[in-house]
Structures are given as C-alpha cells and as structure tokens.
Amino acid sequence: MEAAVVVRYGVLGALEVTLDGADVPVPVGRCRVLLAALLLRPNQFVSVDELAELVWNGVPPARARQSLHQVVRRLRVALGGADCVRTHSGGYEARVEPEELDLLRFRELVAAQDFADAGKLWRGPMLTNVVSDLLHRNEIRHVEEECAEALARSRRRAPRLLPAAMPRFVGRAGHLRELTSLAEGTGPVTATITGTAGVGKSVLAVQWAHSVADRFPDGQLHVNMRGFDRHRDPMAPGDVLVRFLEALGVPAERIPAALDDQAALYRELTADRRLLVVLDNARDAEHVRPLLTGPSFVLITSRDRLTGLARRDLALDVLSAEEARALLVSRLGEERVDDAGDLVAWCGGLPLALAIVAARAAEAPTLPLSALATELADERTRLDSLDTGDAQTSVRTVFQWSYQQLSPRAARMFRLVGVHPGPDLTIAAATSLAGEPAEEAVRALVRANLLVEHAPGRFTCHDLLRVYAADRAEADEPGPSRAAAVERMLDHYLHTLESINRTHYWNHLGTLDDPPVPSAGAIPETFERPDQAESWFQAERTVIHALVVLADEQGHDRHTSQLVWFMTDLVERFGLWREWIGLFARATRASDRLGDRVQVARMSFLRAVGHARLGELERALELFEATDLIWEEVGLVAGQVRARAGVAWVLGDLGRPHEAVEVARDSLELLRGDKSRTPTRLRLALHQLAGALVLADRPAEVLELAAEWDALDGVPDPHNSGLMASELARAYIGLGRHAEAVSKLMDALESFGQMGTWVDLAYSENLLGDAHHELGDPAEARAWWEKAAARYAEHEHPEEAAVRAKLTGVS
C-alpha cells in the first residue's frame, strides 16, 4: 500500500507549496494571485467575479469567466499532486486540512490559547511574492491584522502600539538608513523627523519603526500628539503618560494623578527596557519634553523644527522626481506611468498628493495620466497652484480635486466626517451620522484615500483631510443638515450607552426625568452579551470622550449630561476615573445650565465617587457633603442617604471608622423614616453601615444587619449581593466562624461572576485564603491566596505583597 503524499501550503510569509518536502514552483503572476486568494479563504466558496477582480487587480477582462478558467487550468498543471483547487458552480474553493495550511493551523493554535506555537508559524510579511495591490489591500491586510492581534496576546508585557505600515512604501532610503544607524548605538537616543504638513513624516516614522521592531523586544509605543489638530486640543503629556503606563501594564487605579509622579513611574518602568517610542505630530519641544526620559529610542515627528531637542533631526523635504514616479509605479504599474512627468510636477513631490492622484487614476484605469495632469492644471479646478511651496495649500488643492470626483453620497459622507470629532468612526456610527446606510459611501472614501481603515472596522483620516472635510461641511452642507447630523451622532452614542446600562448593568442608574429620545435616522447599537458591550466601549472610549467635549462646547447640554450619566457604570468597571473625571465636572455644569438640580446632585455625587477612587479622599469628602446639601435643597431623602453613605465610606478610608459608623447609621435611619425607601435603597444603606461596622471591629452588629437585608422584598442585583456577602464573611471571620465565612465568600464569588470587577474577585479570594487557614487547611488556603496574588500581580496592585507574605508563612 502506497504511503499518502504530504502536501503543505504556506501563506504566513511568502507563498510556498511543497509535496513530500520538495518545493512545488507556482508560476508567477495570475496563478499565484489565484492560489493565494483561495488559500486566504480556505474551504470556502469564492465566486468567479471576486476572483477575477483579484487576479486582474480590479480590471478583469471582458470574458473573465473563460480567462479565469485558463488560469485555473495552468495552476492545476503546475501544482500536480499538490492541487487543492475544487470547482463549483460559479466559483472555486481551496480544499485543505489544518495540517496542510499554516493559516488554518495558526487559527487552531490561537483558539487553543497556544500562542507560542502559533507564533512559530509566522514567517514574516505575508505573500510578498504575490503581486496584486487589490489582494494585499482587501484580503492580506485583514489576515495580517488578525495574526498580529493574536500574537500580541502572547506578549502582553511588551506593548505593540504601532499603527499599520504602508503596504507599498517607496523612497526615503537615506533617511531609513540614518535612523537605523542611530538605533545601533548604545544609550538612549532621541531623534526627530520634521517638515511641512503632508510630506510623509508619520509614514516614514511608522515604516521605520516596523522595520526595526525586532531591535526593541520590550515593545513599541505610539501616540498621535495632535499638535496641529484644528478641532481637538493637543494631547496633554499627562494623558499620554496615562496611556503609556496602561500599555505597560499599570492598572488605572495605580497611576498617580500628578504629572511629575506619572513621569517618575514611567522612567522607572522604561529605564531598563529596550523600548521604541514614537511621538507623532508634536506641537513643539515643550509638548513632548516630559516624555523623553526613560525609553531606549524616542522618535518624534512635528511640523515644528524642535530645535535643540534631539541628537539628530531629519528635515524631510518633498520626494524627488524619481521617488515620486516610483510611488506612482508602486500603485499603478510601470506601463501606466510611462509618461507621468507633468503629473509628478503638478503634485510637487508631496506624498499625500501623489497618493490621492494614484487613487483617482486607479479608479479610472483607461484614462491617460496626461489627462489627469491637464485636469489638475486647470485653474478652474484649483484653489491654488500645487507648486507654490505651501504644502497645506497644495494638499488642499488635491483634496478639492479628489472631493469633486466623489459620488453625491460619498461627498456628503466626507463632509460629515468633518462634523465628527474623531479620532475614528465605525460604519454603524457613520450610518447614524448620515441618517442613511453608510457602508458604500465609507468604502468609496477608503478607495479614494480620503479615509483609511486603520483597524478592522474603524476608519480615520489624515489631520489635514479632517480639516478640509470640516471646511467642505461649512461651505457645502446646509446649516440645518449639519445640526441634524450632530444631533444624530450624539444620539447614536448616547442611546448605545443607555441600552448597555439598561440591558447589561441592571439599570443601576435608573431613569431620567428627561429621558433621551433618539433622533430620526439615528440607529444606536445593541449587544447580546456584556463582553460585547464592554469591547465596544473600550474601542469607542476616546471617541465618546471627544463627543462629550464637543457637546459641551457646542451647547448640547442635555447630551453632555446624559452621555456622562450613562457611561458611569463602564467608567467604574474599568477604573477610568482619572481619564474621565473632568467630564463629570462638565456634565455637572451642563446640568446646572439646564436648571436640573436633581441631575446636578447626581453628577456631584459621581464626581465624589471618582475622587474617592483616585485616593483624593479629602476632595471626595467635600463633594459628598456638598451633594448632601443639594439633595436637602431638592427635598429628596434617598439622595441624601446615598450622599451620606459616601461620607461614611470616605471616613472609613480616612481611618475614622467610628465616625463612619455614626454617619452610616444616621443615613439608614433617615431612609427608614422616609416614604421613598425601597428594598434596593435599604440594601445599599445596610451594606454601607455593615462595611463601617467591620472597620470599627463590631462584627456582631453586622449579623443583625444581614438578617434585615435578607428579609427585604425583591431580588438584589448580583454586585450588591456580592458586596454584602463579603462584608458578612469579614464579620464571621472576626467572630471566629470561619466555615460560615467560607460559605458566604463562595456566594460572593458567584455573584461577582455575574457582575463585578477584578478587585471584587481578588478581595473575596484573599478572604477565602484567610478563612481556610484558620480552619486548619493550609493547602486550600494556599490555593485561594495564589489566585488572589495572581490577580493583584496582573494589575500591579500593592495588595499583592501582603498576600505573598501569607503564602511565605504557610507550609
């Protein structure tokens, strides 16, 4: 019996095919494109039309079906015994097993959480020996991003924040060599790339960073400093430090509030690391100076010369005629760019202008480039000459020219991008912004290089493009239409947050006296599972932050207040108070302008919570007490009870437990005597008093409160149930009733599994270790302490040291 042949296909690098270990040559050109396109969608039907688009790079022949059949035939002959192509009605399929195709095996290993072995399958940039711009743009890039995301999960402590590199980068060879030579030295290095807008500073920086990423094994950090953003303030150094510290694994609650302390922690974490940091679009030297000490290599881009800041400044000029032509060739092919001298001249060597021209030419493959040059040269279609030396004017000219080629829907979508505060948006958000389905228009803008899909499903554009889009919105979009778009945009995010709160967070926040009603055309998003909702929020949190600022500055007080209100539980869950505390102050002022004293009190309370979470206890106490006075003015006892519970909480953390008990007890008695009392409100007050009593070493009284808690009507939400169970367990431990403490802590863990934070889980696991240790079961105690210590370690929480000390002391 003959042994089965062994076939292997590789796409996680150059295209490879082997048969029993011997290489199988795949003909260059269309055969390679066809095989690569099928292997990128293994065991899936791919239509003739889709394949023809990819094989002929967007320009299929008139008789595409017959021509594709000939390509398939040649490929099968070349593959011989390695043929995996199967024919279906109207298309083809690559039939492969996971052990035959590295991409399928990679996905299996990732699904099994075996990231180390998955990483070994990655051989470098994908399918570099397959020539098809469309395949690289529409297919390969998405698979590369999938693989990069999976591999990044195996390197959690080595941040990889670089944006995607340009797939067809040309020119700048001397600059790349110079930067690399700087990286070969010892000691920390600061280098700058400066030049006018649109000259390619950011692209060069990111391209070089990717090319030397392996020289910086401890990771790469990147941030857009927004130094020249007309619609958004520059990134403050403190905000950048917070983002970088989070990327380096510091939990939000452990990041200091003061800039000097943040910088000191950043220096400490990066001092011994081989780390690359790219600070893109800096305003001036002072904008980035607090971020320079620590990392091995800091690369800064700016329109400002940043005199005296760096060891080496690379002053970037426009591309040479040869480089500009090479850029066009890389996108359009040698044949098409045979005579493009006039076009290159009109673009003035500006990379951004050349890229837009190339996109326009690609959309019209039969149009001679000379005709495009004539069109660009026509004074009736230009605002200013491209060769004036003023790069911003030049870019604007090309933007206008590109904008005029758009369909009416795509042009309107581009204008509305200027209304959105950024930094990016999704198809769903674009649909609400436009008030109509937007995917086709967004994809048209991507094709025209007016938007870029910088992450799967997320679209952004160059700063200058966003400025130009805003200008076009002002000039071409009627005022009422712009106002309606802003209203729909704000409603999109507001109602998505409201749905998350109502569906996945037990409606903790309740209803508002002025409940939000979505504008016509706004289509908020909904999520079946909490993890989906939380992933959405994490992806959108920068956008939401910018939206609240926009709403506040443009006088949308109701949206300012309600956006902040409905994101409260998410801010609490992820510990984002440092990043968002300023928005709660904005929402308080907006509520005051609306004359809504109830909402002013609510926002004042939430500000107090935020300051307490940040360890700013005196400020928190001040705000809780102020909130109590507002609720007294409004005449709502339930609000006073919550505010006084906050006072008790902070007093306990300030080491004043007996005062905390008195305040919490007075608060509970006030609620008991008020008609607004409900089981939920009573449970909150009982929990606060229980916590104060535990701190005051009065555990027996906690048991009395627990009995009252259990006797209340209704079903408490999981989080509050877990919190009360934890306090009762602490009381049992204080009374020496450790078996009962274990039972209650298991209840707490079950509740926190439904709704709780990592802190809640670690706290209960630590207490379980204490209880089992007192029960004489050191093995079980060790198991729980190890779980708690691991959780604390993951978030670099100081409680880890205390838990480790317990582990050291137990046999």
Side-chain angles (χ1 to χ4, degrees):
M1 184 173 179
E2 291 185 6
V5 295
V6 178
V7 186
R8 296 283 188 269
Y9 305 91
V11 296
L12 300 180
L15 179 65
E16 292 182 351
V17 181
T18 63
L19 183 63
D20 286 336
D23 289 340
V24 177
V26 180
V28 297
R30 297 187 177 103
C31 285
R32 285 192 185 178
V33 178
L34 174 62
L35 180 60
L38 292 171
L39 290 174
L40 287 171
R41 302 193 207 174
N43 303 314
Q44 295 180 37
F45 169 86
V46 186
S47 72
V48 166
D49 291 343
E50 286 183 274
L51 289 171
E53 281 285 320
L54 295 170
V55 168
W56 278 276
N57 202 25
V59 191
R63 303 181 65 191
R65 184 177 298 272
Q66 292 86 340
S67 299
L68 186 66
H69 178 71
Q70 294 300 318
V71 178
V72 172
R73 184 182 61 78
R74 291 199 301 274
L75 176 61
R76 283 174 165 162
V77 170
L79 291 176
D83 180 24
C84 62
V85 180
R86 301 293 180 267
T87 303
H88 296 280
S89 176
Y92 298 88
E93 172 191 7
R95 187 75 55 79
V96 288
E97 298 297 329
E99 62 270 15
E100 295 176 333
L101 177 62
D102 56 3
L103 177 58
L104 284 177
R105 180 60 180 151
F106 181 94
R107 287 169 173 166
E108 275 194 345
L109 291 168
V110 169
Q113 304 289 303
D114 188 355
F115 298 109
D117 284 344
K120 294 174 184 176
L121 295 175
W122 183 257
R123 293 179 285 113
M126 287 181 61
L127 301 174
T128 52
N129 57 345
V130 178
V131 181
S132 169
D133 291 349
L134 200 60
L135 185 72
H136 279 269
R137 183 167 66 247
N138 290 1
E139 305 286 335
I140 295 171
R141 180 163 60 89
H142 294 300
V143 177
E144 282 185 323
E145 289 170 349
E146 169 196 345
C147 295
E149 180 180 355
L151 293 175
R153 294 166 65 187
S154 67
R155 303 190 293 267
R156 292 182 186 276
R157 293 300 176 189
R160 315 287 178 185
L161 299 189
L162 293 177
M166 181 74 71
R168 294 176 303 279
F169 182 84
V170 299
R172 311 297 193 193
H175 295 94
L176 291 169
R177 286 195 299 270
E178 189 165 358
L179 285 169
T180 300
S181 69
L182 288 172
E184 291 171 348
T186 59
V189 174
T190 299
T192 58
I193 302 174
T194 60
T196 192
V199 80
K201 302 180 296 295
S202 300
V203 172
L204 173 61
V206 171
Q207 180 73 22
W208 177 78
H210 277 283
S211 73
V212 297
D214 58 343
R215 297 172 181 252
F216 299 93
D218 293 320
Q220 304 90 41
L221 299 172
H222 176 279
V223 67
N224 179 2
M225 299 293 293
R226 301 200 307 254
F228 297 88
D229 192 316
R230 194 173 122 189
H231 295 282
R232 292 178 296 163
D233 291 334
M235 285 280 285
D239 293 339
V240 177
L241 286 170
V242 168
R243 180 179 297 185
F244 283 179
L245 289 170
E246 285 183 343
L248 292 166
V250 181
E253 67 273 12
R254 294 286 300 141
I255 297 175
L259 177 62
D260 288 346
D261 294 335
Q262 292 169 353
L265 179 57
Y266 179 63
R267 287 195 298 272
E268 177 185 339
L269 291 175
T270 58
D272 298 322
R273 300 193 190 195
R274 187 70 180 159
L275 188 72
L276 171 63
V277 178
V278 180
L279 305 175
D280 201 11
N281 292 320
R283 180 78 181 182
D284 51 33
E286 294 309 311
H287 192 193
V288 293
R289 203 175 296 280
L291 308 172
L292 300 185
T293 56
S296 304
F297 200 113
V298 180
L299 181 60
I300 309 163
T301 76
S302 179
R303 299 179 201 175
D304 189 273
R305 290 301 300 265
L306 304 178
T307 304
L309 191 65
R311 176 193 296 184
R312 182 70 177 92
D313 173 42
L314 280 70
L316 216 57
D317 200 352
V318 296
L319 296 175
S320 68
E322 293 75 18
E323 289 174 323
R325 186 180 184 282
L327 187 153
L328 292 176
V329 168
S330 72
R331 287 159 171 77
L332 301 174
E334 182 74 38
E335 243 178 65
R336 187 89 186 278
V337 191
D338 183 51
D339 182 16
D342 289 343
L343 191 62
V344 168
W346 277 113
C347 288
L350 200 69
L352 196 55
L354 288 161
I356 296 172
V357 166
R360 172 71 177 97
E363 288 292 310
T366 62
L367 187 66
L369 294 189
S370 58
L372 296 178
T374 300
E375 185 178 338
L376 186 61
D378 191 339
E379 291 185 0
R380 294 170 300 177
T381 63
R382 292 186 288 114
L383 296 175
D384 300 290
S385 175
L386 279 174
D387 62 353
T388 61
D390 184 337
Q392 183 169 346
T393 302
S394 300
V395 172
R396 183 161 297 162
T397 301
V398 178
F399 287 168
Q400 181 189 9
W401 177 64
S402 185
Y403 170 71
Q404 289 171 340
Q405 312 307 313
L406 296 171
S407 69
R409 279 193 171 182
R412 178 171 180 265
M413 189 71 253
F414 178 69
R415 295 195 294 272
L416 294 181
V417 167
V419 172
H420 191 281
D424 56 10
L425 78 167
T426 62
I427 296 291
T431 295
S432 289
L433 181 63
E436 61 182 11
E439 181 162 10
E440 183 179 340
V442 169
R443 297 293 178 188
L445 295 177
V446 171
R447 289 194 298 271
N449 273 354
L450 295 174
L451 280 183
V452 62
E453 190 174 6
H454 73 107
R458 304 197 70 82
F459 301 86
T460 189
C461 63
H462 188 281
D463 292 346
L464 288 175
L465 274 169
R466 192 177 294 278
V467 170
Y468 182 72
D471 288 346
R472 297 275 35 101
E474 185 74 24
D476 302 342
E477 192 72 16
S481 177
R482 290 200 310 275
V486 170
E487 192 82 12
R488 288 191 302 270
M489 172 182 66
L490 293 171
D491 278 349
H492 174 85
Y493 295 95
L494 171 60
H495 287 271
T496 301
L497 288 166
E498 187 277 334
S499 174
I500 291 172
N501 175 71
R502 174 170 33 83
T503 307
H504 299 298
Y505 283 89
W506 288 66
N507 203 25
H508 273 168
L509 301 171
T511 58
L512 297 172
D513 294 335
D514 179 22
V517 177
S519 307
I523 306 175
E525 299 175 67
T526 57
F527 307 97
E528 293 184 1
R529 304 194 314 268
D531 63 309
Q532 295 172 327
E534 290 169 359
S535 295
W536 173 88
F537 175 72
Q538 289 286 37
E540 296 282 5
R541 68 191 236 201
T542 305
V543 175
I544 297 171
H545 194 288
L547 276 169
V548 175
V549 174
L550 178 146
D552 183 38
E553 292 179 348
Q554 294 190 4
H556 296 274
D557 289 336
R558 180 180 64 84
H559 281 99
T560 302
S561 174
Q562 293 181 357
L563 277 166
V564 174
W565 176 251
F566 284 115
M567 72 188 182
T568 300
D569 277 336
L570 289 157
V571 171
E572 171 76 346
R573 179 164 179 76
F574 292 109
L576 303 177
W577 287 104
R578 180 171 289 101
E579 177 182 339
W580 295 74
I581 192 72
L583 298 190
F584 284 86
R586 286 180 182 266
T588 305
R589 293 191 294 269
S591 302
D592 193 40
R593 288 193 294 268
L594 290 168
D596 187 345
R597 297 297 289 168
V598 168
Q599 194 69 355
V600 168
R602 288 166 168 167
M603 288 299 168
S604 177
F605 176 82
L606 293 174
R607 287 176 65 198
V609 171
H611 285 290
R613 294 293 189 213
L614 294 173
E616 299 164 359
L617 299 179
E618 294 294 346
R619 178 59 175 150
L621 184 61
E622 177 186 334
L623 282 168
F624 278 130
E625 289 174 340
T627 304
D628 183 20
L629 294 176
I630 299 173
W631 282 124
E632 185 177 10
E633 169 200 328
V634 171
L636 193 61
V637 169
Q640 288 183 267
V641 171
R642 292 293 304 278
R644 293 179 185 182
V647 171
W649 166 30
V650 174
L651 287 172
D653 285 352
L654 285 169
R656 296 155 63 180
H658 299 294
E659 293 177 67
V661 169
E662 294 308 311
V663 172
R665 192 180 298 283
D666 289 346
S667 173
L668 176 60
E669 293 306 317
L670 178 65
L671 180 61
R672 281 174 172 155
D674 188 72
K675 62 182 180 182
S676 69
R677 65 182 180 278
T678 65
T680 297
R681 289 170 176 167
L682 283 167
R683 284 192 178 96
L684 287 169
L686 288 166
H687 163 255
Q688 194 60 59
L689 178 55
L693 288 168
V694 167
L695 289 175
D697 196 24
R698 294 159 66 174
E701 295 175 58
V702 175
L703 305 190
E704 300 172 12
L705 296 180
E708 183 177 348
W709 168 288
D710 291 335
L712 291 170
D713 295 333
V715 179
D717 73 61
H719 189 231
N720 280 327
S721 294
L723 292 174
M724 188 62 181
S726 297
E727 298 301 342
L728 186 54
R730 290 174 69 193
Y732 281 138
I733 290 173
L735 292 168
R737 296 161 61 175
H738 300 105
E740 291 168 276
V742 168
S743 176
K744 278 296 168 188
L745 288 167
M746 296 306 293
D747 290 344
L749 286 179
E750 182 179 355
S751 295
F752 291 146
Q754 298 177 61
M755 184 182 295
T757 67
W758 72 267
V759 175
D760 299 324
L761 292 166
Y763 180 72
S764 296
E765 289 163 350
N766 188 14
L767 287 175
L768 273 165
D770 295 346
H772 281 290
H773 184 260
E774 294 300 324
L775 286 169
D777 190 348
E780 190 71 10
R782 170 174 285 278
W784 286 109
W785 281 333
E786 284 177 344
K787 286 185 178 182
R791 247 184 246 282
Y792 285 128
E794 181 182 355
H795 294 272
E796 298 186 7
H797 194 281
E799 191 64 23
E800 179 196 358
V803 181
R804 295 286 181 200
K806 296 177 189 178
L807 286 167
T808 302
V810 68
S811 60

